[in-house]
Amino acid sequence: MEQLYGYFLYSLSLLTFGGIYAILCLGLNIQWGFTGLFNAGVAGFFAIGAYVSAILTAPESPRHLGGYDLPIPVGVFIAMVVCVPVAWAIGRVCIRLRSDYLAIATLGIAEIIRLVFKNELWATNGARGVSFVPKPFEAWDSPWDQIAMALVVLVIVALLYIAIELARTSPWGRLMAAIREDEPAALAAGKNVERFRLEAFVIGAVVMALGGAMMAHYIKFVDPKMAEPLKATFLVWVMLIAGGSGNNKGAILGAMLLWFIWSITETIAPIIIPDSFAHVVYPFHLVASWFLPEAWMATPIAPDPVTGLDSWDSKAPFLRVFLIGLALQIVLQKFSSGILPEQRLQSLADTDDASARAARSSPS
Amino acid sequence: MSVLELTDITGGYGETEILHSVSMRVDEKEIVVIIGPNGAGKSTAMKAVFGLLNLTAGTVRLNDKDITHLAPEQVVRKGVCYVPQVGNVFPNLSVEENLEMGAYVRTDDFGPRIQEMYELFPDLRTKRSEAAGALSGGQRQMVAMAKALMLDPKILLLDEPTAGLSPKYRGEIFRVVRDINSIGVAILMVEQNAKQALNIADRGYILVDGQNRMDDTGPALLSNPEVGEMFLGGGTDKAA
Amino acid sequence: MIDLLNFHIIPGLVLGSIYALGAIGVSLVFGILRFANFAHGDTMTLGTYITYTFIHLTPLYGIVALPLALLIAVPAAMIATGLIVLIIDRLFYRPFRNSPVIIVVIASFGMMLMIRSSIEMIWGPQLKAMITGIQPPWFFFDTIRVLPKHVAILIAALVLMGIIHYLLSHTKIGKAMRAMADSPDLARVTGIDTERVVKATWMIGTALAVAAGVFLALDGQMKPLMGFSVLLAVFASAILGGIGRPYGAMAGGLVIGVAEELSTYPWIGDGPLLSPGYKAGVSFAIMVAMLIWRPNGLFKGKVF
């Protein structure tokens, strides 16, 4: 019974984390899926959301800025508002860049944001981070606090989904799609393409900040590690590509699915993988150990009794990253439109844009 | 015998069909000109030879061998060279390096061939170590042609070689085209300056809307009133 | 003043030549394959670990001194890593030769994760040292203080750049690489074997990445994220030099390296101008500024 209860709590945490990633994915989908902006700086906006909301709501501490004791919803709201001018400024200067330059620039800016949070000790407590971030419903008894938290996140996801779907089919969304499909035509029609792109960039960033704030309140802690690109940018990208960029349902599904895989490999891999993995590798290892110097054999089969490092189960987390990378490659090559491909808007399907694009890219 | 023969070529870029069953041929030592209004598919027909197109039907034969589905670099190895209309030189490479690249598929010593090219295009000798991108439009066109001739091709494809050139250079290019032809290279070229082109052409094809409209000898097309109205009449020869 | 030279300019030049070597590879790949290869940093790391393995694999180590062991191990690692990268290209990049650029960039994201995690699985996540022990510095004119390894890195980087210059300006494949960087379409219709040029590009870019990684490890430590941590500085160098232009990348690398080190010099007052924590940010900031105001690079360059 107790074990079952544990599984129940674990699945609630899966849902909550998956939901937070779904928020990030929806934000990225606005930027990439609908507008074609290659933002590789998801982590930056995520971190701004997390830090701002955390500092505004955390109890006073001599280690960092704070003591404002604002209610959580106010903190989250201000975090999103703070993100507007930041994203606007970044978008203003970067948005004209060719796609991979935009990726490099945004990755660089996200790293600068991370460095600021890491180095401005007076405000953020540096690498040690901000702790005691309040969590909604934490006064409630378990499991109701967890259930409520999961529900809040899922409701936010649902509301975002509805809002973005409405926006997508609105004139604004159609125009956005038209710009992505055929920018010269949109320009010729007298549309201020750059302004619409900037709007999409800012809205997407604000959604990412919301995700960051939710994360801070869920795990009750923020530190600069959260803004490292692996989990806060690249994983989100893989989720969106796998789920189907341009499709909001796909974004949510991709986030949930990939998070389940990510989390379950972390939990289960050490149980399942070491034996099977070691059995596969052992013969090679044995043969190799006969003639290779000991120093080179960095990988003993048995865990190091002192550090626990270098054993096969310590490798499971890395295997997981490898599999995520491989999954991305497979999706790109075999299912390039993701699990749920984008539903093209009717008015766009009419225009023969595929051929127009082909003609443009042809050698002349 | 035909050096190059296109039969019922149908296709385009991606899924858009630009050419509808276009046929044409170039015989040995001929100059053949393709003319037609903008968007008629003239340059596209040329690209079909080079495998740069999605063909849904038709064949391209070189000396009676099917080359329809060969990659561009293989077509070059068979002795067909192509000078695109724009971007036909490597701008950051020197003139001489451009010629060396033209000879990329050669494995023998092509030094003498470079000297021959300098004799054919004396202007280029003095500019040999300058970046091709820094030359004038006419000189660039000459580099492009010299580069294409490095392989001693059986047939040379020229896509609007005089586009955007001053009248002085235009005459020069037509003279060079004739010179090249006189050493035994067949030539297929697309031209906007229909009158001048037909003057030096053995035969001409008129393409309209991606279809063959007319073909005849150069002089016959020049004197054809319908052609005159379409391409040669008074103001239509803009550059003249 | 001598501190400026000893503790900022010389280490800056060392770091800069490492960035430059990485940036040449990024620039070549960008020029010829037309995409920003985000996995380049991790290629550096992979090459470093393979070098490390070769050093400990050759019974030479222990018999001969480290410099000689490196001279044997590094070229071998360049070839081994190059071959791995060719396989990666065949499996993960080549299917997208005719796709929009962005797909290949995303594939390189995936490659980044795969290479990095492979390194962590094979060699473990902990720090390693390429060389152990502390070298006493050399002194010139009693005041200029240089670590022997820094001298070695600078000389080796210069030699490598010389080789690259020779390759690009005097060999057929090098000229074909420049031609393809100028215009891939024209290269194809000229008869240049573009896949061969692509292979040469990967081999050369990877060889330089291996050298850069090994130098980085000699200068500091080996860890699975070492390459990724300099990726943005390497991009910054390539962009500063005008991406797609290998000579610009060399200059760009040196500028970025020195700028990073100079940012911590006490120009105003006694404290460092910028807290050392922001050192890495200097290159990002230069890069972002360049992208926005001079995307063609400091020197005459072009954007593809």
Side-chain angles (χ1 to χ4, degrees):
Chain A
M1 195 59 211
E2 203 160 298
Q3 203 180 5
L4 213 59
Y5 184 63
Y7 282 131
F8 176 66
L9 288 183
Y10 176 62
S11 46
L12 280 179
S13 90
L14 277 183
L15 272 179
T16 317
F17 275 118
I20 292 169
Y21 270 102
I23 297 173
L24 295 175
C25 256
L26 285 170
L28 185 60
N29 201 23
I30 297 172
Q31 295 178 339
W32 167 246
F34 299 141
T35 325
L37 296 170
F38 198 146
N39 178 9
V42 180
F45 302 118
F46 174 81
I48 289 173
Y51 265 98
V52 171
S53 195
I55 287 172
L56 288 176
T57 57
E60 188 165 8
S61 157
R63 295 168 188 275
H64 57 78
L65 202 64
Y68 305 104
D69 274 327
L70 292 175
I72 294 171
V74 179
V76 173
F77 180 75
I78 296 178
M80 291 164 72
V81 172
V82 166
C83 208
V84 172
V86 177
W88 186 86
I90 294 171
R92 189 83 190 81
V93 289
C94 292
I95 223 147
R96 290 169 290 123
L97 298 173
R98 193 189 107 143
S99 53
D100 41 0
Y101 283 122
L102 181 64
I104 297 170
T106 46
L107 185 61
I109 290 169
E111 286 292 285
I112 292 175
I113 292 174
R114 188 173 67 86
L115 284 180
V116 170
F117 287 132
K118 194 174 172 185
N119 285 296
E120 297 305 317
L121 301 179
W122 58 276
T124 64
N125 196 22
R128 265 168 288 166
V130 176
S131 32
F132 304 111
V133 179
K135 183 177 178 182
F137 320 110
E138 58 189 333
W140 295 11
D141 287 335
S142 183
W144 301 109
D145 57 338
Q146 302 290 336
I147 294 174
M149 181 73 204
L151 279 178
V152 166
V153 169
L154 293 180
V155 165
I156 291 175
V157 171
L159 291 176
L160 271 177
Y161 171 79
I162 294 167
I164 298 171
E165 274 297 305
L166 284 176
R168 187 173 76 93
T169 45
S170 72
W172 184 85
R174 282 166 186 278
L175 184 62
M176 217 54 111
I179 289 172
R180 194 193 42 167
E181 298 290 342
D182 194 346
E183 189 181 333
L187 274 171
K191 303 298 179 193
N192 189 342
V193 168
E194 214 169 296
R195 207 194 83 211
F196 282 98
R197 284 223 172 111
L198 191 53
E199 283 171 11
F201 188 77
V202 172
I203 294 170
V206 168
V207 173
M208 289 166 189
L210 170 63
M214 294 314 293
M215 186 67 94
H217 291 294
Y218 181 51
I219 64 176
K220 296 171 60 62
F221 176 68
V222 287
D223 73 352
K225 268 191 165 6
M226 281 170 72
E228 280 176 1
L230 173 62
K231 271 176 88 174
T233 297
F234 299 126
L235 186 58
V236 181
W237 266 95
V238 178
M239 287 168 168
L240 182 62
I241 302 278
S245 58
N247 184 318
N248 287 320
K249 283 198 200 92
I252 297 170
L253 182 69
M256 290 286 184
L257 194 66
L258 267 281
W259 178 256
F260 288 0
I261 295 172
W262 180 268
S263 172
I264 283 172
T265 44
E266 180 177 48
T267 318
I268 298 180
I271 307 166
I272 301 173
I273 292 172
D275 282 347
S276 47
F277 207 54
H279 283 140
V280 175
V281 178
Y282 184 72
F284 299 100
H285 208 272
L286 191 65
V287 173
S289 67
W290 291 337
F291 55 88
L292 294 186
E294 189 61 31
W296 187 70
M297 301 297 292
T299 318
I301 296 284
D304 183 320
V306 183
T307 60
L309 284 172
D310 267 351
S311 68
W312 283 107
D313 43 294
S314 73
K315 291 175 188 300
F318 308 123
L319 180 64
R320 161 175 77 161
V321 176
F322 183 86
L323 291 176
I324 291 281
L326 186 62
L328 176 65
Q329 306 289 5
I330 292 169
V331 168
L332 280 178
Q333 291 194 18
K334 305 286 175 211
F335 313 97
S336 54
S337 29
I339 303 168
L340 297 176
E342 179 181 4
Q343 298 148 315
R344 304 281 301 281
L345 294 168
Q346 200 51 47
S347 65
L348 283 169
D350 295 341
T351 64
D352 193 7
D353 59 278
S355 52
R357 229 179 309 154
R360 217 172 297 128
S361 65
S362 69
S364 55
Chain B
M1 192 187 90
S2 305
V3 183
L4 185 70
E5 191 167 11
L6 283 74
T7 317
D8 296 328
I9 293 291
T10 302
Y13 309 110
E15 280 149 36
T16 349
E17 199 179 289
I18 294 172
L19 300 176
H20 317 285
S21 197
V22 167
S23 299
M24 52 182 67
R25 62 165 221 282
V26 182
D27 291 342
E28 252 174 82
K29 296 180 184 164
E30 259 191 331
I31 298 181
V32 174
V33 171
I34 308 175
I35 54 179
N38 283 332
K42 303 184 297 279
S43 304
T44 314
M46 217 166 237
K47 284 177 191 152
V49 177
F50 256 80
L52 296 170
L53 229 52
N54 257 355
L55 292 189
T56 47
T59 54
V60 182
R61 302 178 75 80
L62 180 72
N63 290 325
D64 253 359
K65 284 193 207 82
D66 193 340
I67 59 161
T68 318
H69 299 291
L70 292 188
E73 47 265 43
Q74 291 167 308
V75 179
V76 173
R77 281 171 198 273
K78 301 262 180 218
V80 183
C81 287
Y82 168 53
V83 181
Q85 182 186 345
V86 289
N88 49 22
V89 296
F90 299 113
N92 288 310
L93 266 57
S94 70
V95 168
E96 185 139 326
E97 285 172 335
N98 266 280
L99 300 191
E100 289 170 23
M101 284 300 108
Y104 186 87
V105 302
R106 287 179 71 149
T107 47
D108 55 340
D109 176 23
F110 50 79
R113 185 69 179 168
I114 292 186
Q115 294 312 316
E116 281 172 48
M117 287 302 117
Y118 288 150
E119 255 131 62
L120 190 60
F121 304 98
D123 277 10
L124 300 186
R125 192 191 293 275
T126 52
K127 307 262 182 189
R128 57 199 288 175
S129 45
E130 278 182 40
L135 303 183
S136 73
Q139 288 168 333
R140 268 209 304 273
Q141 197 63 41
M142 292 187 182
V143 175
M145 285 161 84
K147 169 177 153 298
L149 287 170
M150 282 303 292
L151 288 183
D152 209 348
K154 295 181 197 117
I155 176 164
L156 185 62
L157 274 50
L158 300 171
D159 194 349
E160 302 208 18
T162 66
L165 295 187
S166 68
K168 177 192 152 219
Y169 268 121
R170 215 185 306 150
E172 179 81 0
I173 295 285
F174 281 118
R175 180 188 66 74
V176 170
V177 168
R178 244 189 320 213
D179 285 355
I180 296 169
N181 178 247
S182 67
I183 55 174
V185 182
I187 288 177
L188 175 65
M189 69 178 194
V190 169
E191 251 310 325
Q192 288 287 353
N193 299 301
K195 197 186 260 174
Q196 271 175 297
L198 287 174
N199 258 324
I200 63 161
D202 294 303
R203 287 185 304 111
Y205 287 89
I206 296 179
L207 289 191
V208 177
D209 292 336
Q211 283 170 319
N212 285 84
R213 179 69 170 270
M214 217 184 278
D215 58 289
D216 212 328
T217 63
L221 286 174
L222 266 178
S223 55
N224 183 319
E226 197 186 338
V227 177
E229 191 160 320
M230 265 199 294
F231 307 107
L232 311 172
T236 43
D237 194 1
K238 287 163 291 189
Chain C
M1 251 345 246
I2 204 70
D3 279 359
L4 178 66
L5 183 66
N6 285 342
F7 298 109
H8 296 276
I9 292 179
I10 292 174
L13 287 173
V14 171
L15 194 60
S17 57
I18 293 170
Y19 291 164
L21 292 175
I24 296 169
V26 164
S27 227
L28 287 174
V29 170
F30 194 93
I32 285 151
L33 286 125
R34 298 305 203 255
F35 79 99
N37 178 18
F38 278 75
H40 199 74
D42 296 282
T43 307
M44 283 167 66
T45 318
L46 180 65
T48 311
Y49 276 83
I50 290 177
T51 307
Y52 173 85
T53 303
F54 282 167
I55 285 179
H56 290 276
L57 198 59
T58 41
L60 282 169
Y61 188 47
I63 301 171
V64 298
L66 186 81
L68 189 56
L70 276 175
L71 275 180
I72 298 165
V74 171
M78 284 175 171
I79 294 168
T81 317
L83 293 177
I84 294 172
V85 170
L86 284 187
I87 295 171
I88 290 173
D89 176 63
R90 177 70 194 78
L91 292 177
F92 300 112
Y93 300 144
R94 200 166 117 180
F96 303 119
R97 287 277 197 274
N98 296 316
S99 308
V101 170
I102 216 67
I103 308 290
V104 204
V105 177
I106 297 174
S108 80
F109 272 21
M111 225 38 252
M112 187 167 75
L113 303 183
M114 288 167 74
I115 297 175
R116 177 192 307 173
S117 56
S118 301
I119 291 167
E120 284 165 326
M121 280 193 283
I122 296 170
W123 287 281
Q126 64 279 60
L127 294 175
K128 290 185 193 303
M130 184 72 86
I131 45 169
T132 45
I134 296 165
Q135 285 182 314
W138 288 338
F139 284 92
F140 298 96
F141 313 112
D142 289 340
T143 45
I144 300 173
R145 171 189 175 280
V146 195
L147 291 172
K149 64 181 179 186
H150 284 175
V151 175
I153 290 173
L154 284 173
I155 291 173
L158 271 177
V159 169
L160 283 169
M161 289 181 204
I163 293 173
I164 290 302
H165 169 71
Y166 177 79
L167 266 174
L168 289 176
S169 57
H170 289 91
T171 65
K172 185 173 171 181
I173 192 73
K175 289 175 192 173
M177 284 168 69
R178 282 164 55 218
M180 198 170 154
D182 263 4
S183 166
D185 292 334
L186 185 63
R188 290 188 75 199
V189 299
T190 301
I192 293 174
D193 182 348
T194 50
E195 278 304 316
R196 207 175 109 89
V197 174
V198 166
K199 287 195 184 90
T201 307
W202 282 121
M203 288 304 284
I204 295 169
T206 304
L208 296 178
V210 173
V214 171
F215 296 161
L216 197 62
L218 288 176
D219 197 29
Q221 288 156 319
M222 277 170 71
K223 49 179 187 264
L225 282 178
M226 58 182 266
F228 180 72
S229 64
V230 299
L231 177 70
L232 282 168
V234 165
F235 273 148
S237 309
I239 288 165
L240 192 66
I243 199 156
R245 320 196 115 229
Y247 299 112
M250 296 179 194
L254 293 175
V255 172
I256 295 274
V258 173
E260 278 192 12
E261 294 293 341
L262 288 185
S263 73
T264 56
Y265 184 74
W267 295 102
I268 308 161
D270 291 332
L273 179 69
L274 210 59
S275 137
Y278 284 116
K279 208 153 109 177
V282 172
S283 58
F284 311 157
I286 294 177
M287 174 181 74
V288 173
M290 285 299 295
L291 279 174
I292 294 158
W293 287 291
R294 285 208 64 166
N296 294 354
L298 271 189
F299 315 100
K300 205 173 138 259
K302 66 173 187 174
V303 185
F304 294 101

